[in-house]
């Protein structure tokens, strides 16, 4: 069984009943948060994207790139990654998420786990490249009442056997 | 940067705090609205699809087709588009949406922005054609309490560089 | 028009107004239920997957496999299907759902209808196989307050003309 099926950040046993994320509106709030976060990334709006992370947030997005910590480093990594990869190869990327699991933790953080897929379109090319299939595990926290990503870990299916 | 990253329908500055679409149930309501709307389109149910638009709704869905206004014109365009494109080439299309942003406006309308993808399957063909990747921007309004599309603008990534 | 556009399990006419699944939190609850259910399936966790079905639940997932009833039979079918298909061809599958319609029934059950797509990644293969495009129709019920699938019917687009 591929290693993607094991959870690297085990969920602590809740000491008390946790709220139902569907009933509390949290589930929709997380979906909305991700829509805006990834629209920033796909438009290469580096600072607005980095602002969706906690002040000491960790972004570990690719086996080809080091994990980075903090908004300034995250913005720099987004800019540099796009420069390295796409300066000579203009693309429009679209990150899609699906099968979102949301689990509130007793400490107030929120663990999420979901599938991700990148669609990459090149100029005049009707069919995007649809790859790779990934699993993403986030720890979300609140800052000033707003959701922020404290930690993001991405695994790619093709490299997980 | 491709032109798909600019917003053709700028969001007015809210004069007052707007409700949280997650907490109010609006976010799920919009998802449900789109599911039913696009299941109508993919089944080529032209009148039920057109009925999801406001009475003077605008449907601007393809660079190959003129924008049309009003339910009768929208139903006619759906029928004619399918006849022109697929009468000699039977397909089952499926529209998928992702990364849905929902923003309530002070005037009571709702602006949405999201990714779309069309999957087109032909008889006996296991793998659908997955294209094109699009961005859709809608203005939604309520008629008799129900969400309706007042205006839909679609941009296709491959034509947006 | 392909047969996938006809509904095999017709919705009974409601005898009384039914609740709005968006406002009640049901819509998000169903999304969360499916995320967890399909993460179990894609990790080939046969018993946890089967536990998301009602005690006498029916799982009819493929034209290549018989419909099975009951959790023990469902778990056995998941195991056997994966053994038959993938023992000599290791893959990581990911089921994606989209365009989820949710309709509460007067009898307390919930009918859903949605699109599904399977992404299949093989070791070292950057691009997953994206197929087939499907439509799924479920009847959901509650057991001890939790959603369970009582009946699942899957149709594949390429075989539905």
């Amino acid at each position: 069984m591929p290693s993607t099926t094991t959870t690297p950040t085990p969920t602590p046993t809740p000491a008390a009943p946790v709220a139902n994320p569907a009933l509390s509106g949290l589930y929709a709030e997380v979906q909305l948060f991700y829509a805006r976060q990834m629209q920033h990334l796909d438009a290469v709006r580096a600072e607005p994207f980095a602002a969706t992370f906690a002040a000491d947030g960790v972004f570990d997005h690719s086996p080809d790139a080091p994990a980075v910590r903090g908004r300034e480093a995250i913005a720099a990594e987004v800019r540099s990654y796009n420069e390295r990869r796409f300066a000579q190869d203009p693309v429009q990327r679209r990150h899609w998420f699906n099968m979102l699991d949301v689990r509130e933790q007793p400490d107030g953080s929120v663990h999420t786990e979901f599938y991700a897929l990148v669609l990459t379109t090149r100029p005049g090319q009707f069919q995007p490249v649809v790859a790779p299939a990934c699993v993403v595990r986030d720890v979300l926290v609140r800052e000033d009442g707003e959701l922020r990503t404290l930690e993001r870990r991405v695994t790619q299916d093709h490299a997980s056997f």
Side-chain angles (χ1 to χ4, degrees), chain A residues 53-65:
Chain A
F53 281 75
D56 57 345
V58 173
F59 181 45
D60 183 7
H61 69 111
S62 165
D64 304 329

Side-chain angles (χ1 to χ4, degrees), chain A residues 1-159:
Chain A
M1 196 154 16
S3 61
T4 52
T5 61
T6 63
T7 305
T9 51
T11 303
T13 307
V18 292
N20 180 325
L23 290 174
S24 67
L26 176 64
Y27 194 80
E29 189 183 358
V30 173
Q31 291 179 297
L32 189 57
F33 169 73
Y34 283 141
R36 293 172 181 176
Q37 181 183 57
M38 300 313 283
Q39 289 185 11
H40 286 318
L41 183 62
D42 291 335
V44 197
R45 294 189 289 258
E47 275 73 24
F49 173 74
T52 67
F53 281 75
D56 57 345
V58 173
F59 181 45
D60 183 7
H61 69 111
S62 165
D64 304 329
V68 290
R69 179 186 297 270
R71 290 186 189 129
E72 206 171 321
I74 291 170
E77 168 58 21
V78 166
R79 227 183 289 282
S80 148
Y81 182 82
N82 277 275
E83 179 65 26
R84 291 196 309 273
R85 292 269 313 263
F86 303 119
Q88 308 303 322
D89 174 23
V91 298
Q92 177 64 63
R93 297 202 303 160
R94 303 287 178 199
H95 286 79
W96 283 53
F97 290 175
N98 204 265
M99 291 303 177
L100 172 65
D101 190 9
V102 173
R103 294 178 186 271
E104 294 189 76
Q105 303 302 314
D107 66 2
S109 73
V110 175
H111 288 193
T112 66
E113 179 170 346
F114 53 91
Y115 299 165
L117 191 59
V118 189
L119 309 182
T120 303
T121 297
R122 290 179 169 79
Q125 184 184 68
F126 184 62
Q127 290 186 248
V129 175
V130 180
C134 302
V135 173
V136 183
R137 294 182 185 85
D138 269 5
V139 177
L140 305 180
V141 292
R142 287 191 189 276
E143 285 184 2
D144 303 325
E146 298 291 323
L147 290 174
R148 298 283 177 256
T149 299
L150 179 62
E151 191 182 295
R152 167 158 302 172
R153 306 286 176 192
V154 182
T155 60
Q156 303 186 344
D157 282 353
H158 67 101

